[in-house]
């Protein structure tokens, strides 16, 4: 393995160690709280509730 390959592997390893997945997420102010459209299907209400329950359980 030459010096260039070693430098590339070291740079990748440093990036992976410093990776913070929460850093890339938008803040609460950036996310809309409503699109002002009424729910026209019961599944449109049940799916987000199910996802919230799964995340709370995890």
């Amino acid at each position: 393995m030459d010096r260039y390959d070693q430098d590339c592997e070291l740079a990748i390893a440093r990036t992976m160690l410093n990776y913070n997945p929460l850093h890339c997420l938008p803040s609460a102010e950036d996310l809309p709280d409503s699109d002002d459209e009424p729910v026209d299907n019961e599944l449109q209400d049940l799916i987000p509730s199910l996802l919230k329950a799964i995340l709370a359980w995890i």
Side-chain angles (χ1 to χ4, degrees):
M1 187 180 291
D2 64 0
R3 180 72 181 166
Y4 176 77
D5 290 335
Q6 290 174 345
D7 289 343
C8 287
E9 283 189 7
L10 183 61
I12 291 170
R14 285 183 184 154
T15 303
M16 291 175 69
L17 289 175
N18 293 327
Y19 177 69
N20 182 359
L22 299 179
H23 181 65
C24 301
L25 296 176
S27 66
E29 292 81 29
D30 295 335
L31 298 173
D33 58 351
S34 173
D35 60 1
D36 296 325
E37 292 184 20
V39 176
D40 61 352
N41 187 333
E42 187 176 337
L43 283 178
Q44 288 178 322
D45 191 35
L46 290 176
I47 291 173
S49 299
L50 177 61
L51 291 174
K52 283 183 187 179
I54 291 170
L55 288 174
W57 179 72
I58 291 173

